[in-house]
Amino acid sequence: MQPEQMNEAYREKHFPQGSVLLRSGEKSKKSSAILLVLVALLEAALVAGEVYFLSLIRYHQGAGNADQVTIGWVFFGVFALLILLFLWVMTRLVKNVKAGPDAAFAACAKKNGFSLEEVQTFDRQALQSDSYILKCAGAVSAAMANQTDGLLTRDYLWLGDAANSILRRSELAGACLYRWSYYAGKKRLHAVSLAVVDRQGRMISAEADTQKGKELLAFLAAQCPGLAVEERLLEEGKEFDNWKNALTAPQG
């Protein structure tokens, strides 16, 4: 089944800012603001702890308990280091919260090794009517994986990851589905992801339902001539690595 193309209703619902990257930047700023509040609360608790340890140190100094004084200074030093660490984290978070709209474009360019102009071209193409909406996973799975719908534009492919990892269509080499595992407590669970690799060895991926993933592979093969699509469900590790290496090995 062919994915839905970009349309006005989808644009209005998902990108009211008129930009894929501006929406991503706003989400990042909201996350940073929430983390900033949490870190500020931890910082306040650490400062309160320092005051408490100082009072204990003074008490034991007056009582002549040298060992307790030493232990108190050790804890005081550890808390001081944590305070400095959280202060550094807070400065980074404040910077993210105060970042202007251009920050999202600059971060995307740096992440992908693109020029700012190329990133702006992707963002402009993303909301045009010839852009395709790629739904790799169901809504719940996508939310848990912190990903959104991907987009295939005239010149670029993005699979909806939060870091905005983008590949040029002209450089795509291969695509596959692969199964990987993770642990929830002591229980080992399995998931499937769609991976696309370019000729430079760069890869983008997104968690995918197996059926939706197969449909997207077929769609990408039809849209991107020369893209080598692997029909098998690969396993993470050696099998997946061998597939990726074969695509990017120099041709002798």
Side-chain angles (χ1 to χ4, degrees), residues 33-244:
I34 293 171
L35 284 174
L36 180 60
V37 172
L38 294 176
V39 172
L41 291 174
L42 287 172
E43 187 80 342
L46 288 170
V47 171
E50 290 287 67
V51 173
Y52 173 72
F53 283 123
L54 274 177
S55 66
L56 282 180
I57 289 169
R58 288 175 182 149
Y59 169 79
H60 287 295
Q61 281 177 333
N65 300 324
D67 289 344
Q68 299 299 323
V69 171
T70 300
I71 293 172
W73 281 119
V74 169
F75 279 102
F76 185 89
V78 170
F79 272 47
L81 290 174
L82 289 174
I83 286 172
L84 291 174
L85 174 62
F86 283 127
L87 276 175
W88 177 80
V89 172
M90 287 176 67
T91 59
R92 301 288 295 183
L93 291 172
V94 168
K95 183 179 179 181
N96 289 343
V97 171
K98 291 185 175 181
D102 292 340
F105 289 85
C108 183
K110 182 178 180 180
K111 160 75 178 176
N112 295 288
F114 290 174
S115 67
L116 187 58
E117 291 75 15
E118 195 167 12
V119 168
Q120 291 169 340
T121 298
F122 159 75
D123 195 62
R124 185 167 56 252
Q125 289 183 3
L127 302 187
Q128 293 176 355
S129 58
D130 60 350
S131 178
Y132 288 93
I133 301 162
L134 309 181
K135 296 181 181 294
C136 297
V140 175
S141 296
M144 292 180 65
N146 194 26
Q147 69 187 47
T148 61
D149 296 340
L151 294 169
L152 179 69
T153 78
R154 196 176 311 127
D155 298 309
Y156 302 95
L157 173 64
W158 170 58
L159 292 181
D161 67 307
N164 295 322
S165 305
I166 303 165
L167 296 181
R168 300 180 183 93
R169 285 182 63 166
S170 61
E171 296 180 355
L172 298 183
C176 77
L177 292 176
Y178 72 99
R179 182 166 54 192
W180 51 281
S181 62
Y182 62 97
Y183 285 89
K186 295 183 179 180
K187 188 175 181 180
R188 187 182 185 188
L189 302 174
H190 294 276
V192 172
S193 285
L194 171 70
V196 183
V197 179
D198 72 6
R199 291 194 292 271
Q200 307 303 316
R202 295 181 62 242
M203 184 185 86
I204 59 175
S205 66
E207 190 167 330
D209 296 338
T210 302
Q211 184 56 41
K212 286 185 178 180
K214 289 180 178 178
E215 292 173 356
L216 283 178
L217 285 179
F219 171 73
L220 290 174
Q223 290 289 318
C224 306
L227 182 71
V229 172
E230 175 58 59
E231 299 295 337
R232 298 172 299 153
L233 176 63
L234 302 178
E235 297 291 338
E236 69 175 335
K238 186 176 181 180
E239 187 176 36
F240 177 78
D241 292 341
N242 287 343
W243 169 81
K244 181 180 175 183

